[in-house]
Amino acid sequence: MAKPEDLYEAILTGNAKVAEEAAKAAMDANLDPNELLAKYMIPAMDEVGRRFECNEYFVPELLIAARAMKKALEVLTPRLAASGAKKAGRVVIGTVQGDLHDIGKNLVASMLEGGGFEVTDLGIDVPPERFVEAAREKGDGAIVAMSALLTTTMTMMPKVIQALEQAGLRSKVKVIVGGAPVTQQYADQIGADGYSDNASGAVALARRLVGVQA
């Protein structure tokens, strides 16, 4: 039978079944879900990110760790909501219009969720007006995260930023971008607030932008 303290290792090794069982055991024991997040789950995802940056972990390990984290979170979410737990921040994420790729975007979304953020995933082929609508719903201080895998679709990123400006929201949100053809230079050129070439880096970037300590 999995125990609450098994959460860290289960997430680190991507064992979704044990992560879910450990989370259920913790809830059955009436443990504080916020404490579980702070003590075991977020540190586990931080370690996953560190190993990725050191080339000890690769994309498959990130994916299975994120899946294990998600399973545990599903168990804790009702209790977290009832306790009024405060998230690290709010993120609206999507693959820009014309682009149907979602593996990288899904990984970033899972890692952000594992890092304590409230994530709204808009999916793929997201038009500028949908990003604007979601940003307005999430309110001041939200992060708008855009992904593109094609050079032909990355040109939608500045159009989203322009749409945010026209809606009077640009100064109220942070914009981060990523994807295979995207570079720091391009992010600077279009006026984004940040860029990352990997999921772990995106979490660190989001934390910096909302003023949360890593």
Side-chain angles (χ1 to χ4, degrees):
M1 181 67 182
K3 303 183 293 296
E5 53 268 31
D6 294 333
L7 266 173
Y8 181 89
E9 195 65 25
I11 291 169
L12 189 62
T13 58
N15 192 325
K17 185 172 184 292
V18 172
E20 183 177 24
E21 289 175 353
K24 285 178 178 176
M27 292 302 91
D28 289 343
N30 285 319
L31 298 182
D32 182 357
N34 295 288
E35 188 175 324
L36 294 172
L37 272 170
K39 191 173 179 181
Y40 302 118
M41 297 167 69
I42 291 176
M45 289 303 286
D46 286 344
E47 176 62 14
V48 168
R50 188 197 68 77
R51 292 187 184 190
F52 179 77
E53 290 173 356
C54 295
N55 292 320
E56 295 173 25
Y57 272 15
F58 300 94
V59 170
E61 286 84 4
L62 284 187
L63 286 169
I64 63 171
R67 183 185 62 184
M69 178 74 174
K70 199 172 186 68
K71 277 293 183 184
L73 271 175
E74 285 171 1
V75 176
L76 301 188
T77 295
R79 197 76 64 87
L80 285 166
S83 71
K86 189 176 184 297
K87 292 285 188 177
R90 303 176 307 283
V91 180
V92 171
I93 189 169
T95 304
V96 295
Q97 188 169 26
D99 202 316
L100 306 179
H101 297 89
D102 67 354
I103 293 176
K105 182 266 299 172
N106 291 347
L107 179 54
V108 170
S110 293
M111 291 289 284
L112 283 167
E113 196 170 23
F117 286 85
E118 174 194 316
V119 179
T120 301
D121 189 345
L122 303 179
I124 58 174
D125 194 22
V126 184
E129 56 268 24
R130 181 67 187 104
F131 277 109
V132 170
E133 179 187 338
R136 185 178 285 117
E137 287 171 1
K138 292 305 168 185
D140 293 3
I143 294 174
V144 175
M146 292 183 275
S147 171
L149 198 71
L150 307 170
T151 54
T152 52
T153 58
M154 64 190 276
T155 56
M156 288 302 301
M157 290 177 168
K159 292 180 181 178
V160 173
I161 292 175
Q162 184 178 21
L164 288 167
E165 288 172 348
Q166 291 172 347
L169 296 172
R170 180 64 188 93
S171 62
K172 300 175 181 178
V173 300
K174 299 294 185 181
V175 175
I176 63 176
V177 295
V182 184
T183 62
Q184 181 66 61
Q185 182 181 6
Y186 186 70
D188 294 340
Q189 180 185 322
I190 65 175
D193 296 297
Y195 155 81
S196 177
D197 62 359
N198 64 76
S200 174
V203 176
L205 171 61
R207 284 176 172 166
R208 285 199 302 273
L209 289 175
V210 299
V212 173
Q213 292 293 325

